[in-house]
Amino acid sequence: MNADHEYGYFTEADSADVVVARNKNAKDERLKQIMEVITRKLHEAVKEIEPTQDEWFRAIMFLTETGQICNEWRQEYILLSDILGVSMLVDAINNRKPSGASESTVLGPFHVAGAPELPMGADICLDQKGEPMFVHGHILDTKGNPVEGAKIDVWQANDEGFYDVQQKGIQPDFNLRGVFRTGPDGRYWFRGVKPKYYPIPDDGPVGKLLGALGRHPNRPAHLHYIISADGYEPLTTHIFDPDDPYINSDAVFGVKKSLLAEFVKIDDATAATTVGLKAPYYDVEFDFVLSRAKTA
Ligand code: BEZ
Ligand code: FE
């Protein structure tokens, strides 16, 4: 046995040990550890699956096509991670919250930095399409105190299930997006339209895989939020419509029980006038609870 063959030559039985041993001089300990775990689990999976040469090549072509469809705005590998539940798992590991704090969920690909900062109460629907909705609540700390100066960055799909960036020239720029800042009472309120479920981009290899697995590509209706405030952990989350047909089968596993809001239909002209809308409209009340920054 020479220095390159601490585990001897490559054999089916010793395959993972041989590869792991070859990485012994890795310059970065974390990389070495990650590659060891991935190598061992991957070899274990291959041994259990026993792919034919053709199946292995189809997997290679799937990954090749996944890379080839990526561009500046299309990230098919993140979609793959999403539908495998890995994005939500990484999110859970990195966002363990103290009890009482609002839970996080995936960011998704449709956030746009630099949305306009709007006065509290503004209507983020710029094209007047869809069923009107009034969204309101408080930003609180885990003791129930209001958080002043919290920045609420909100975005949502329209009533047909499209974000503005997916319908350039059809929806106005920054339609259904806005940034709001809370005052001393921690209260927030704004107007929008009732969102609808929509498919994740499904015209590529990930969509084909979902089809082959007998899965639909849809995400239940939701509003996205990034909420940040000095001294608190930023919160990236959604609220969901519990009556959505896909609420129990989100294609990317983003739904959590604590993030279900109520979309209450109000058919009362006086109430509608009070919130600057026409009846009927949907009332959505939801409080968000921020946890203290770990390093504060
Ligand atoms: C979204 O909610 O915007 C989203 C999340 C994951 C994949 C695709 C879209
Ligand atoms: Fe979304």
Side-chain angles (χ1 to χ4, degrees):
M1 197 182 290
N2 67 33
D4 284 339
H5 288 112
E6 286 91 343
Y7 283 90
Y9 291 101
F10 189 98
T11 64
E12 187 177 329
D14 289 342
S15 65
D17 286 337
V18 173
V19 176
V20 167
R22 190 68 63 83
N23 297 338
K24 68 176 187 296
N25 296 326
K27 293 183 178 63
D28 182 314
E29 274 308 309
R30 177 72 171 154
L31 175 66
K32 190 166 149 184
Q33 180 210 5
I34 291 168
M35 289 310 295
E36 170 159 1
V37 174
I38 287 177
T39 303
R40 291 199 186 285
K41 306 267 183 202
L42 185 58
H43 282 232
E44 193 184 317
V46 172
K47 284 174 186 181
E48 185 173 339
I49 295 164
E50 298 194 328
T52 63
Q53 205 74 40
D54 179 55
E55 285 171 332
W56 170 83
F57 190 67
R58 279 165 63 192
I60 296 293
M61 286 318 293
F62 171 80
L63 294 174
T64 304
E65 284 158 22
T66 299
Q68 282 169 339
I69 202 171
C70 291
N71 58 33
E72 207 186 326
W73 59 269
R74 176 79 179 252
Q75 230 307 353
E76 196 77 356
Y77 281 109
I78 296 186
L79 279 187
L80 179 58
S81 161
D82 293 343
I83 65 121
L84 291 172
V86 172
S87 304
M88 279 302 289
L89 183 56
V90 172
D91 182 74
I93 289 166
N94 286 279
N95 289 285
R96 294 178 184 129
K97 306 270 185 200
S99 115
S102 294
E103 293 189 282
S104 61
T105 190
V106 278
L107 172 67
F110 298 121
H111 178 249
V112 174
E117 188 147 349
L118 301 170
M120 204 57 93
D123 194 344
I124 61 173
C125 179
L126 306 180
D127 61 6
Q128 273 73 54
K129 287 192 189 143
E131 299 175 280
M133 174 179 71
F134 183 64
V135 189
H136 58 112
H138 292 85
I139 311 299
L140 303 168
D141 67 17
T142 50
K143 295 188 179 118
N145 302 309
V147 177
E148 180 176 3
K151 180 181 168 196
I152 303 168
D153 187 343
V154 62
W155 68 105
Q156 63 158 105
N158 69 5
D159 67 322
E160 292 174 351
F162 293 105
Y163 290 91
D164 58 349
V165 290
Q166 295 174 292
Q167 289 193 314
K168 284 202 180 289
I170 299 174
Q171 292 188 45
D173 286 350
F174 294 113
N175 193 32
L176 296 167
R177 299 176 187 274
V179 173
F180 300 92
R181 224 170 259 279
T182 56
D185 60 0
R187 224 186 129 222
Y188 75 89
W189 67 101
F190 63 89
R191 291 166 290 161
V193 291
K194 189 168 186 277
K196 194 182 171 200
Y197 64 82
Y198 63 83
I200 62 169
D202 66 343
D203 55 345
V206 167
K208 253 193 257 166
L209 177 61
L210 284 176
L213 292 171
R215 282 170 59 176
H216 67 73
N218 297 311
R219 300 215 61 213
H222 57 270
L223 281 87
H224 289 259
Y225 291 85
I226 300 176
I227 304 174
S228 51
D230 285 349
Y232 296 88
E233 288 297 319
L235 172 67
T236 298
T237 197
H238 307 358
I239 58 172
F240 292 92
D241 177 0
D243 297 325
D244 188 280
Y246 297 105
I247 197 66
N248 293 319
S249 61
D250 183 1
V252 305
F253 306 97
V255 179
K256 293 179 176 175
K257 195 166 178 236
S258 68
L259 301 178
L260 302 180
E262 257 190 285
F263 288 62
V264 183
K265 193 168 187 174
I266 311 266
D267 203 353
D268 175 334
T270 313
T273 308
T274 314
V275 298
L277 294 172
K278 286 200 178 109
Y281 71 99
Y282 285 88
D283 183 275
V284 182
E285 181 171 11
F286 201 89
D287 290 345
F288 295 94
V289 180
L290 301 182
S291 55
R292 282 260 165 220
K294 287 177 190 114
T295 52

